Amino acid sequence: DGGGASGTSYTNGHRAIYCNQTVYTPSHVINYTLNLRLIGLRIKNYEADGIRMDYVQRCEIRNNRIEFCAYHGIMLGAGCFDNTIDGNHVSDIVPGDGGGTPPYHPAYGITITRDPARSTTDAPISMRNVISNNRVERVNGWNGIDSHGSQYTQIINNYVKHCAIGIHMEDGDASGVGAYVPSNYITIEGNYIISNQGTGFGVGPGINLQGAATNGDPQLSISVVGNTLVNCGTTAGLYTAGSHGAIHCYIVRGLTVTGNLLENSQGVGVWLDEVSGAVVTGNVMRGLTSSGGLQAGIYLADGDCTVAIDINQFDAASPALGITAASAVDGGFEYKVGTNNIKYGTMTLIGSNLPTPA
């Protein structure tokens, strides 16, 4: 226990548990910790991280209770391979002064990230880690589960509630050395995500995929399968900057979005922008809250998109619930809408901006 009343102040400015045996000076020597097991711990009231591990292999973080930390509940940093984060309960990751007062800084329930000060040689990209069966709650100002540049990560059967973004995958950078690394070969499957709606905090995507926007490198081979998302998305205008869908996909090559259930999405169900080799199929969308008076089950944004859309179910009374495209699209835009999309009520292709289907 870091001390202090829960959620009001943090009196311990350190991490509860930190594992890193790499030597940084006078020369950089990587030393890996192997087969460490952290099981059944109770951690609360730390101003930094609950658990942070760098340069670890085949370690287990299981069945721990972590609450009221200001940065990260559980963090895997550089050089983490074949580790398992399973069955933990992480809650109340509250940046600011400990009571949730802005300004906020990045804070994550569970994250796999990069060392932004070092190259991928000195700080290898973390790979083949599993985040499963965890409960992550009340990371109201930031992300429930996160990755910056990890590879071959499996995010399976987690319960994520009341986070600004439920599951967030983006690039990891190495400042000064130009090593922008997208999160590639990611499986996001069987997760249950409930947004911040009703908490007074901002509502963002349930699942957010973002390639390396700095240099344009895409995320590769991302599967979003069998997840349930409730009240996710944003309430900003459909065509305004910063809008996102319940599932938001930006700069992705080789994308599968299938078998997901989207309940009462805010404005847009699935948002696609600069994606190629994408398949959006077998999803069920029940209800959309109007955004700027418009609603779209699937939205093709103004970047290049190559996507097949088929066998989805749009279930709502709104006549505007369907598929739409932005008013301005770049070159290379093509899509294919199959004949097997199921509709209840009236579904339309909205607006006059849709190009001829490929």
Side-chain angles (χ1 to χ4, degrees):
D1 189 333
S6 295
T8 59
S9 64
Y10 299 114
T11 58
N12 192 322
H14 302 286
R15 303 175 177 95
I17 297 174
Y18 182 37
C19 178
N20 185 353
Q21 298 192 83
T22 288
V23 177
Y24 292 93
T25 58
S27 60
H28 190 90
V29 179
I30 295 176
N31 296 308
Y32 286 102
T33 299
L34 307 179
N35 303 313
L36 178 66
R37 303 175 73 204
L38 302 177
I39 299 176
L41 304 173
R42 177 72 183 269
I43 297 170
K44 65 177 180 178
N45 291 342
Y46 278 82
E47 193 173 1
D49 311 314
I51 296 172
R52 174 172 175 171
M53 305 174 77
D54 293 87
Y55 304 99
V56 295
Q57 297 184 24
R58 301 187 300 278
C59 294
E60 299 180 27
I61 304 173
R62 295 185 186 271
N63 302 328
N64 301 290
R65 179 70 174 99
I66 302 169
E67 59 185 328
F68 294 106
C69 295
Y71 272 87
H72 312 106
I74 299 171
M75 173 182 172
L76 297 184
C80 295
F81 301 99
D82 304 299
N83 303 287
T84 299
I85 302 172
D86 181 83
N88 302 282
H89 186 183
V90 178
S91 70
D92 300 287
I93 306 303
V94 186
D97 66 353
T101 303
Y104 298 122
H105 54 70
Y108 309 102
I110 298 172
T111 184
I112 304 175
T113 189
R114 290 262 302 114
D115 183 339
R118 292 177 172 82
S119 70
T120 55
T121 300
D122 288 341
I125 299 166
S126 293
M127 296 186 183
R128 301 183 303 275
N129 298 290
V130 177
I131 302 172
S132 58
N133 303 306
N134 300 283
R135 186 181 184 99
V136 180
E137 300 177 274
R138 295 185 296 280
V139 191
N140 296 114
W142 222 260
N143 306 334
I145 296 175
D146 169 87
S147 168
H148 284 60
S150 71
Q151 314 282 296
Y152 301 97
T153 304
Q154 297 183 62
I155 302 170
I156 301 174
N157 295 336
N158 300 282
Y159 179 88
V160 182
K161 182 180 181 181
H162 292 169
C163 302
I165 297 175
I167 297 174
H168 178 71
M169 302 285 108
E170 69 166 293
D171 61 304
D173 63 72
S175 299
V177 297
Y180 291 94
V181 181
S183 294
N184 295 330
Y185 314 107
I186 306 294
T187 298
I188 303 172
E189 183 174 350
N191 302 282
Y192 196 102
I193 304 167
I194 302 173
S195 80
N196 260 339
Q197 189 174 42
T199 66
F201 289 83
V203 175
I207 296 173
N208 191 45
L209 309 177
Q210 180 176 310
T214 302
N215 60 0
D217 286 347
Q219 289 185 334
L220 302 175
S221 299
I222 311 294
S223 296
V224 180
V225 179
N227 303 281
T228 298
L229 295 84
V230 181
N231 297 327
C232 297
T234 68
T235 53
L238 183 61
Y239 297 111
T240 60
S243 299
H244 299 285
I247 298 176
H248 176 255
C249 309
Y250 177 54
I251 314 183
V252 184
R253 304 292 179 263
L255 170 68
T256 300
V257 179
T258 186
N260 301 284
L261 172 61
L262 282 65
E263 296 269 10
N264 193 34
S265 299
Q266 308 296 299
V268 175
V270 179
W271 180 295
L272 304 171
D273 188 354
E274 295 192 35
V275 301
S276 67
V279 176
V280 180
T281 182
N283 303 285
V284 177
M285 304 181 195
R286 294 178 180 164
L288 281 170
T289 297
S290 176
S291 172
L294 294 173
Q295 299 160 297
I298 298 172
Y299 174 56
L300 309 177
D302 58 355
D304 297 352
C305 290
T306 305
V307 55
I309 301 170
D310 205 3
I311 324 177
N312 298 286
Q313 178 175 315
F314 302 89
D315 186 354
S318 169
L321 179 58
I323 304 166
T324 189
S327 57
V329 296
D330 298 331
F333 192 118
E334 58 183 76
Y335 72 101
K336 183 175 183 179
V337 177
T339 59
N340 296 318
N341 291 299
I342 304 168
K343 53 187 178 294
Y344 291 86
T346 303
M347 184 185 77
T348 60
L349 300 183
I350 309 169
S352 59
N353 304 316
L354 292 168
T356 302

